Amino acid sequence: MNRINQKLQETKKILSIYFSAGYPNLNDTVQIIQDLEKNGVDMIEIGLPFSDPLADGPTIQASSTQALHNGMTTQVLFDQLKDIRKTVAIPLVIMGYFNPMLQYGIENFCQKCAEIGIDGLIIPDLPVDVYADEYKATFEKYGLKNIFLITPQTSVERIHFIDSVSDGFIYMVSSASVTGSQTGFGSAQEEYFKRIADMNLKNPQVIGFGINNKETFNQATQFAKGAIIGSAFIQHLTENGTEKIEEFVKAIR
């Protein structure tokens, strides 16, 4: 069974952390992953830096830009992660934009992910219809879960379609904004969380965008299986380097 599905079957709420590969320094990637797992994180989203990150706010954009300046590329990331499964057991997901994957070659990219032990991909700019028609078979051939995003504006019909072609979790964007722009959840967002929970979808939901502390993590996971923290963790790396990861995680849990 895929590690994502195994993790989702556990009774506890899932804490997933996102960071940009190659940030703060090019060779920090593996240490950050190891430290996050050691301190109780359930799943990690490894950001593949891209020069035009549509869904990312200023914090993640800045880290992505710095990672590119540091020399991060798709091949460098694969080289860094080649032995990751010797030390790390939790689910690992690569989150990135479609262009670098297309340049690498979709089949080659998926094959490399499978060799390394990547469990899934999040590709915000790959439409679900295109995935279902052109790429689903390739992803499944290599045992990769493709995770799709929904927002408060996503139609009921589209949510059901995403649910039907998914076999992992649904990434529930908390609001129609870029990452890192939220400071808490109001009643409208909580109503949205509850509305989706009441749809009884076959795939569990994990909420992202606006999760930055224990309070927002607890708010989100009241209605969903887990929550994702990105910008707040990258801000922590910016201020502290890789030294105080334990402190960050303990403050959430």
Side-chain angles (χ1 to χ4, degrees), residues 220-241:
T221 55
Q222 182 183 345
F223 300 97
K225 178 61 182 174
I228 301 157
I229 298 178
S231 296
F233 179 64
I234 289 173
Q235 188 62 41
H236 181 83
L237 291 176
T238 302
E239 294 168 3
N240 302 285

Side-chain angles (χ1 to χ4, degrees), residues 95-245:
M95 183 169 186
Y97 293 87
F98 195 52
N99 187 273
M101 300 176 192
L102 203 56
Q103 288 182 343
Y104 197 86
I106 297 303
E107 179 103 19
N108 290 339
F109 190 92
C110 290
Q111 183 176 2
K112 201 71 184 168
C113 285
E115 287 172 6
I116 288 165
I118 297 299
D119 303 293
L121 299 171
I122 301 172
I123 313 168
D125 59 341
L126 175 60
V128 62
D129 326 62
V130 175
Y131 166 75
D133 291 343
E134 298 182 32
Y135 301 111
K136 189 171 188 280
T138 304
F139 277 54
E140 289 178 348
K141 175 181 173 182
Y142 293 104
L144 295 168
K145 306 299 179 184
N146 197 20
I147 311 302
F148 291 99
L149 284 69
I150 64 170
T151 74
Q153 283 70 43
T154 307
S155 70
V156 170
E157 292 74 23
R158 194 156 188 85
I159 291 170
H160 281 300
F161 180 56
I162 286 171
D163 192 42
S164 72
V165 300
S166 299
D167 178 30
F169 65 90
I170 292 173
Y171 189 133
M172 200 169 148
V173 177
S174 65
S175 62
S177 63
V178 295
T179 57
S181 60
Q182 300 293 307
T183 54
F185 298 128
S187 58
Q189 284 162 313
E190 291 201 350
E191 285 168 17
Y192 158 58
F193 298 162
K194 187 173 186 307
R195 173 170 63 85
I196 301 301
D198 288 345
M199 288 177 72
N200 294 316
L201 302 173
K202 73 179 176 77
N203 290 277
Q205 300 89 58
V206 180
I207 297 176
F209 291 46
I211 320 290
N212 51 31
N213 54 27
K214 190 181 187 72
E215 182 188 1
T216 45
F217 178 79
N218 289 339
Q219 266 188 293
T221 55
Q222 182 183 345
F223 300 97
K225 178 61 182 174
I228 301 157
I229 298 178
S231 296
F233 179 64
I234 289 173
Q235 188 62 41
H236 181 83
L237 291 176
T238 302
E239 294 168 3
N240 302 285
T242 58
E243 299 304 310
K244 297 183 178 179
I245 287 175

Side-chain angles (χ1 to χ4, degrees), residues 38-71:
K38 185 174 71 179
N39 287 292
V41 169
D42 301 297
M43 182 162 56
I44 298 171
E45 294 172 21
I46 305 160
L48 178 59
F50 181 53
S51 55
D52 190 20
L54 303 172
D56 297 327
T59 301
I60 292 179
Q61 277 195 31
S63 70
S64 202
T65 299
Q66 184 59 52
L68 291 171
H69 286 321
N70 290 346

Side-chain angles (χ1 to χ4, degrees), residues 32-41 44 90 246 250:
I32 290 172
I33 293 170
Q34 291 170 337
D35 286 353
L36 286 171
E37 180 182 47
K38 185 174 71 179
N39 287 292
V41 169
I44 298 171
I90 60 174
E246 178 180 9
K250 294 292 186 281

